[in-house]
Amino acid sequence: MTPSRVLVVGASAAGLATAEALRRKGYQGTLTLLGAERHQPYDRPPLSKQVLTGSKAPDTTQLRTPEALAGLRAELLLGDPAAGLDPHARTVRTASGREVSADAVVVATGLRPRTLPGQPDLEGVHVLRTLDDALALRAGLLAARRLVVVGEGVLGSEIAATARSMGLDVTLTGPGPAPMPAQFGPVVSGLLAALHTGYGVRLRLGHSVTGLTSAGGRVSGVRLDTEEVLPADVVVVAIGAEPVTGWLNDSGLRIDNGLVCDSRCRAAEGIYAVGDVASWHHELFDAPMRLENRTNATEQAIAVADNILGADRPYTPVPYFWTDQFDARIQAHGRLGPDAAVTVVDGDPADGRFTARYERDGRVTGVLGWSMPRQARLLRQEIGGPAPSPEPSAP
């Protein structure tokens, strides 16, 4: 039966895309979006790039105009985080004490940034997840000379590149040997290290952070496990994020690196999850998967909307994400990772334009394009198939 009331908990990209997909597919019932933030739904990828540099005004990140939101015919309850869920009654309790019930509930509560263990509350120390975070960090960068970014993953690498383009003295530190080693493996992450170094980013990688130094209540540096202190006027902690599932602790639903779902993105009868918070069973890979990227937020929302309306559709995407750093746009399709064999297929890394194939156990698991988006999309069709045989050597 088609539910007469749908409640989407989370009013960011994944939540909004779910509501829009329902309406687009003809859903006429009551639709409610409950959001923790006070802002209208906005896009997150620009926060670490254009919003930080000031090339995009904050209001340009809004995903839809007020007129488009009104046309959605949905009730938006913003600035009131979810605090609990009764999955049997399908009722969500909010921080303000409001109770909202529905026939189907979609969990789209996203992520929360991790912080350093015992991280002190110092002026000049930032995380970046929300629009408010981005605006506070931009103000800090404009008044600073030296930035230290803690965390060599996607977000930390993007922030380092953005801040360097703004003219700051930037140091990137983290336990990995190069920027984004977990995502790209040693070959491409080594090229990314060379790109950052070439633009003047100082890399102090392969070290853990043991603490922050301060003076007068303001951060003054980052202490490494070598006892070296990296001086800083501003510090960004970008050591990953965790799914926002604490409000589900008493629900009886299974939590394990996100809200655990079946291949239909269903956590229980009438309860679904979408976006960064969803850990679902990927039938093609026969493994649990949770993706933290903008593309997944939209694609998974469409699958969830279908299943709410009575389809029986497994969600089996080819994972995809991109990152813009300095003059490089890097696009990754499939599953890459540090343990795959990497072969350059087209172009030349020395020219800053190439595609690469990732192989594991005789099969193609992913492809990457470095400033070659069209060629990477064409190569994507090889994912899941047998790895090509090596070209025979010339006699």
Side-chain angles (χ1 to χ4, degrees):
M1 292 179 60
T2 299
S4 61
R5 299 170 299 169
V6 175
L7 168 63
V8 182
V9 186
S12 193
L16 177 64
T18 304
E20 290 182 327
L22 285 168
R23 290 298 192 218
R24 194 165 55 246
K25 295 172 185 295
Y27 180 66
Q28 297 297 318
T30 300
L31 195 52
T32 303
L33 273 78
L34 175 68
E37 293 186 60
R38 58 185 175 85
H39 300 290
Q40 300 285 330
Y42 62 88
D43 211 12
R44 296 190 192 277
L47 300 185
S48 60
K49 297 177 276 289
Q50 296 95 331
V51 172
L52 277 191
T53 63
S55 62
K56 265 195 173 183
D59 58 359
T60 65
T61 66
Q62 291 187 356
L63 287 167
R64 298 294 179 266
T65 64
E67 294 76 20
L69 288 175
L72 193 57
R73 293 179 288 113
E75 181 183 19
L76 267 67
L77 305 176
L78 302 177
D80 195 6
L85 169 66
D86 180 341
H88 304 292
R90 294 171 198 149
T91 298
V92 171
R93 185 182 73 258
T94 73
S96 70
R98 176 190 280 129
E99 291 192 347
V100 186
S101 298
D103 304 302
V105 175
V106 181
V107 176
T109 43
L111 302 172
R112 176 181 295 111
R114 293 191 180 97
T115 56
L116 294 169
Q119 181 174 317
D121 184 15
L122 295 174
E123 189 178 350
V125 180
H126 297 262
V127 295
L128 179 55
R129 173 65 183 173
T130 68
L131 179 58
D132 291 337
D133 291 339
L135 295 177
L137 177 55
R138 171 167 167 75
L141 294 180
L142 291 176
R145 185 173 64 85
R146 298 170 302 184
L147 167 69
V148 174
V149 181
V150 180
E152 77 286 10
V154 181
L155 183 60
S157 299
E158 289 185 349
I159 293 170
T162 299
R164 183 64 192 136
S165 73
M166 296 170 66
L168 275 81
D169 180 320
V170 178
T171 302
L172 178 64
T173 188
M180 299 180 61
Q183 290 81 10
F184 293 149
V187 174
V188 175
S189 65
L191 295 171
L192 197 56
L195 178 71
H196 276 254
T197 301
Y199 275 92
V201 176
R202 291 187 176 90
L203 300 181
R204 294 293 291 117
L205 299 170
H207 300 283
S208 61
V209 171
T210 60
L212 303 175
T213 61
S214 63
R218 182 175 184 85
V219 71
S220 61
V222 174
R223 181 180 291 110
L224 304 182
D225 54 7
T226 60
E227 294 303 318
E228 177 187 5
V229 174
L230 306 174
D233 307 311
V234 173
V235 171
V236 179
V237 177
I239 56 174
E242 54 193 21
V244 178
T245 55
W247 65 284
L248 297 171
N249 286 345
D250 296 328
S251 68
L253 299 176
R254 186 180 168 204
I255 306 298
D256 184 5
N257 185 33
L259 177 56
V260 176
C261 301
D262 63 15
S263 61
R264 274 63 179 169
C265 305
R266 182 175 49 221
E269 187 65 31
I271 308 292
Y272 300 82
V274 65
D276 300 340
V277 74
S279 175
W280 86 100
H281 182 77
H282 196 299
E283 288 189 352
L284 293 184
F285 293 111
D286 191 25
M289 183 171 288
R290 188 176 65 80
L291 299 177
E292 299 179 7
N293 62 69
R294 182 68 175 79
T295 303
N296 177 68
T298 301
E299 294 181 348
Q300 193 168 30
I302 295 170
V304 165
D306 280 341
N307 290 332
I308 288 173
L309 297 178
D312 186 28
R313 174 187 168 190
Y315 180 52
T316 55
V318 173
Y320 167 76
F321 78 93
W322 79 93
T323 179
D324 293 335
Q325 298 178 37
F326 297 112
D327 59 356
R329 165 159 281 203
I330 307 171
Q331 297 172 308
H333 304 262
R335 304 180 85 179
L336 280 59
D339 59 339
V342 179
T343 302
V344 173
V345 177
D346 194 5
D348 187 339
D351 297 332
R353 296 182 73 252
F354 69 94
T355 61
R357 180 190 297 118
Y358 283 67
E359 303 167 14
R360 190 181 291 107
D361 299 326
R363 305 195 73 80
V364 178
T365 61
V367 301
L368 177 141
W370 185 302
S371 298
M372 294 186 76
R374 185 179 65 84
Q375 293 87 340
R377 285 195 299 271
L378 292 174
L379 196 62
R380 169 180 167 151
Q381 64 188 352
E382 296 185 3
I383 295 175
S389 300
E391 293 286 339
S393 56

